[in-house]
Structures are given as C-alpha cells and as structure tokens.
C-alpha cells in the first residue's frame, strides 16, 4: 500500500510512504552490527490539511519513532515523507532548517525538554532567534502573545521551569512549538503524564489553537478516550506495523482488526451497570529484534488461523477510507 492511493476530500499536507527505521544492535570485540531492531517497518499513511490523526498502540510499537523520523530528528532507514509535495528526507541542511519552522513537536516530558537554567520566556524565543525572526522587541512581543494563547501570564516569562506545575510546563512546551507559527505539529503523548482534569484543559487548548491557527496534528497517545476526543482519523500500530486506519467514528463503531478490538474492549465504561465483553490478549508483545513470521499479531490473536503465521496480510482498503491488515477482514 502506498499513501498516494488513499482517497481524500481534503488536501494531504503530509504523505508518508513505506517508512522504515531500524536501529542497529552491536556486539563483539569490534562492535559489529549483529542484529536490527525493526522499530518502524514499512508504514504508510497521509495526514490531511487541518486534521488531527491519532496514532495509538502499546508501548514499544514504534509510535514515537514514526513522529521523530518524520521530522528528521531521527534519520530514516528507508521510505519517504512528503510535506506539501516536498521530500523531507531529500532536503539538505540549509533547506531543512527552513522546513523546521513549519514542522514542530511537543514532547511527552516537557521538563526534560526545557533548559533549567533558562527562563521560559527565553526558551520560547529561542527558535525565533535561531531563525532570525524579527527584532529583539518583536520577538519579545511574539513570545508574550504565544504565552497568552496557551493560558499563561506575562510575568511567567521571567520564571524558571522548576517553578511550574506539570500542566503549566506542558503549556510551555506547546508555546515553544507554536512560536514559529508552524503548519504541522507532532504531539508526542502530550497529556499522558498529567492529571485527568489537566488533560482536558490541555486538549481543549490544542483544539482551540488548531481552529484559530489552521494547524495539522499527529497526535500520539496510549489513551483511546483521549484519541477519541481530539482525533479526526485514527491509526493503530502494532510492533512497527500499521494494522488499521480509518475515521474516528468508524474505528470506534466498527473496528476490523482483532488488535483494535482488544484495545477497544479495555476502555473503561463510566456506568457500572453496563458490561463489556473483555478481550484478554495472551502473552507479551514479541521482540522487534525477531518479529514473528506472517502477521505479527498472530501469536496473541484470539481468531488466528494457519495462514496468519505463513503470510503477512497487506495493509489494504477494506471499505471506503477504512484500511486494515488482517486476513479475517478481507
């Protein structure tokens, strides 16, 4: 499957084609490469202008690696990423610097991404200085305006990261990503470390900013309830592979892949009188060092049959704009 074949009503801002990222495992006296961790293996999808694509899956499935490789924070092993028809992986350092203004990231842990010795106002202005945006006074005014957009006050600019709560630090992380007025932001689990009440505030900020600034998001998360709240479409990953991709409503109403169905069955229901059939997956996630043959999910799949272990299913369109990689769904 190539992302070019996905039919869309909106313009595709991002197109990912056959993305691969393998990490070498070295050993022996001369530290030769003895194996490869297949963190991301042949992943393709598109992100439409102005939408939020949710990316979900278990820890270690490759979600964060996809996001960072798309931005070339990690160099890819193979594949292509197109931003407005420009191949990001083919850009030289000079051209890539220009594109970095338009593609930003919000990290999972905002505290580790902030310099503890630098006031947060300086941190927010850092990107503006690197890209020579405006005069010193103009940069200061841009920084204050950005802090206000995320619900912080002007006097916060003089404070240091340790003086803020976790929710406030995540707002600072959002402000840093917004400072350069980007088109696309990778949100790498931006609310996973926050209290539920703070999660809702941050999610609402992200949605409001998307509407006012016409932003496009790749929203990486574990929590399906969070993904349902913010996403337009949802992609599901398992062990470096994309297993399902469709609209939010279609995914939650009609999940096709057994792995997606298992994830859905684990979502808590607030009404204790309502019972849900729980799908319990057996065993652990296999190692990406030595993934199973055929479908990578078949050792844990409750409906697997012989062919699942023999041949890998294609990631194909099962119904209009609903993609899945499962022999049972064909």
């Amino acid at each position: 499957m190539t992302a070019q074949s996905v039919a869309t009503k909106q313009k595709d801002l991002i197109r990912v084609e056959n993305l691969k990222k393998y990490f070498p495992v070295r050993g022996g006296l001369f530290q030769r490469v003895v194996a490869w961790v297949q963190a991301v293996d042949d992943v393709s999808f598109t992100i439409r202008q102005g939408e939020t694509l949710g990316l979900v899956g278990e820890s270690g499935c490759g979600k964060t690696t996809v996001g960072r490789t798309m931005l070339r924070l990690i160099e890819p092993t193979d594949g292509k990423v197109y931003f407005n028809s420009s191949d990001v992986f083919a850009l030289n350092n000079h051209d890539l610097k220009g594109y970095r203004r338009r593609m930003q990231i919000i990290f999972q842990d905002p505290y580790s991404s902030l310099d503890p010795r630098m006031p947060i106002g300086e941190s927010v202005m850092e990107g503006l200085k690197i890209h020579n945006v405006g005069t010193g006074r103009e940069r200061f005014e841009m920084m204050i305006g950005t802090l206000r957009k995320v619900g912080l006050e002007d006097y916060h600019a003089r404070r240091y990261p340790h003086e803020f709560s976790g929710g406030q630090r995540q707002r600072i992380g959002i402000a840093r990503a917004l400072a350069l007025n980007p088109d696309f932001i990778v949100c790498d689990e931006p609310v996973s470390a926050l209290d539920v009440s703070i999660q809702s505030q941050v999610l609402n900020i992200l949605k409001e900013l998307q509407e006012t600034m016409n932003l496009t998001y790749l929203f990486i998360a574990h929590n399906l309830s969070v993904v349902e709240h913010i996403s337009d479409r949802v992609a599901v990953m398992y062990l470096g592979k994309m297993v399902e991709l469709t609209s939010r409503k279609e995914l939650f109403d009609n999940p096709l892949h057994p792995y997606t169905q298992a994830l859905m069955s684990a979502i808590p229901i607030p009404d204790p009188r309502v019972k849900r059939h729980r799908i319990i997956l057996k065993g652990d996630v296999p190692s990406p060092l030595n993934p199973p043959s055929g479908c990578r999910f078949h050792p844990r799949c409750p409906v697997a049959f012989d062919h699942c272990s023999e041949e890998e299913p294609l990631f194909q369109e099962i119904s209009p704009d609903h993609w899945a990689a499962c022999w049972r769904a064909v």
Side-chain angles (χ1 to χ4, degrees):
M1 173 261 179
T2 62
Q4 288 174 305
S5 60
V6 179
T8 64
K9 295 180 181 179
Q10 303 158 278
K11 176 186 175 184
D12 290 337
L13 179 69
I14 304 288
R15 196 167 78 248
V16 178
E17 295 184 353
N18 309 110
L19 180 64
K20 295 182 181 181
K21 178 57 187 177
Y22 296 172
F23 292 98
V25 177
R26 301 182 184 275
L29 180 63
F30 298 102
Q31 290 295 294
R32 294 190 176 94
V33 175
V34 296
W36 294 91
V37 176
Q38 300 177 28
V40 178
D41 191 14
D42 200 18
V43 166
S44 299
F45 59 91
T46 61
I47 307 178
R48 301 163 187 170
Q49 177 75 48
E51 82 163 350
T52 299
L53 177 68
L55 185 59
V56 300
E58 292 173 285
S59 295
C61 73
K63 306 183 301 297
T64 294
T65 303
V66 167
R68 296 191 179 201
T69 307
M70 288 171 62
L71 302 182
R72 274 185 67 180
L73 299 179
I74 302 173
E75 290 297 326
T77 300
D78 198 7
K80 295 182 182 295
V81 171
Y82 293 95
F83 178 87
N84 266 345
S85 301
S86 297
D87 186 355
V88 176
F89 296 162
L91 297 174
N92 58 36
N93 290 337
H94 179 268
D95 293 335
L96 181 62
K97 182 179 178 181
Y99 269 83
R100 291 210 187 281
R101 289 189 59 179
R102 305 175 65 187
M103 302 184 294
Q104 291 290 307
I105 185 169
I106 301 169
F107 293 100
Q108 178 179 0
D109 182 5
Y111 190 66
S112 65
S113 64
L114 294 170
D115 189 336
R117 301 164 298 178
M118 184 182 291
I120 64 107
E122 293 292 327
S123 292
V124 173
M125 286 192 293
E126 190 172 19
L128 298 172
K129 292 178 181 178
I130 291 172
H131 290 275
N132 297 316
V133 178
T135 63
R137 181 62 189 175
E138 289 169 341
R139 287 195 290 266
F140 179 81
E141 291 174 354
M142 290 178 192
M143 177 269 293
I144 293 296
T146 304
L147 291 181
R148 290 173 180 171
K149 285 180 182 177
V150 299
L152 295 174
E153 302 295 337
D154 297 6
Y155 63 83
H156 285 140
R158 299 186 298 273
R159 294 187 175 180
Y160 290 84
H162 71 273
E163 299 180 77
F164 294 92
S165 67
Q168 288 176 318
R169 283 199 289 262
Q170 195 56 278
R171 291 170 190 246
I172 297 166
I174 296 171
R176 291 185 72 193
L178 291 175
L180 288 166
N181 196 26
D183 299 313
F184 172 61
I185 298 179
V186 174
C187 304
D188 185 9
E189 302 193 43
V191 297
S192 62
L194 306 178
D195 294 337
V196 174
S197 59
I198 305 300
Q199 285 185 12
S200 62
Q201 294 175 19
V202 172
L203 290 174
N204 289 335
I205 287 172
L206 289 172
K207 292 188 75 170
E208 290 170 8
L209 291 169
Q210 184 174 40
E211 293 173 2
T212 57
M213 300 178 67
N214 193 29
L215 295 169
T216 302
Y217 294 144
L218 174 66
F219 193 91
I220 299 168
H222 286 99
N223 191 327
L224 281 169
S225 298
V226 169
V227 169
E228 184 180 17
H229 177 71
I230 197 170
S231 301
D232 299 298
R233 290 188 302 146
V234 181
V236 182
M237 282 188 69
Y238 182 81
L239 201 62
K241 291 279 190 181
M242 193 78 76
V243 297
E244 191 159 2
L245 170 62
T246 188
S247 68
R248 172 190 59 197
K249 185 178 187 306
E250 176 69 10
L251 188 83
F252 282 83
D253 290 347
N254 182 34
L256 295 179
H257 199 280
Y259 177 63
T260 309
Q261 294 167 4
L263 292 179
M264 296 295 181
S265 75
I267 300 175
I269 300 176
D271 188 346
R273 295 168 295 180
V274 177
K275 301 295 182 183
R276 171 179 279 160
H277 173 62
R278 183 76 168 88
I279 301 173
I280 306 296
L281 299 179
K282 298 179 180 179
D284 297 322
V285 180
S287 171
L289 271 171
N290 186 26
S293 61
C295 174
R296 295 190 175 186
F297 184 59
H298 86 263
R300 305 175 71 200
C301 181
V303 296
F305 59 105
D306 291 344
H307 191 59
C308 297
S309 63
E310 297 168 357
E311 186 178 355
E312 183 179 337
L314 295 175
F315 188 61
Q316 56 187 315
E317 194 171 22
I318 308 300
S319 60
D321 207 19
H322 193 157
W323 300 75
C326 180
W327 291 118
R328 290 283 189 186
V330 176

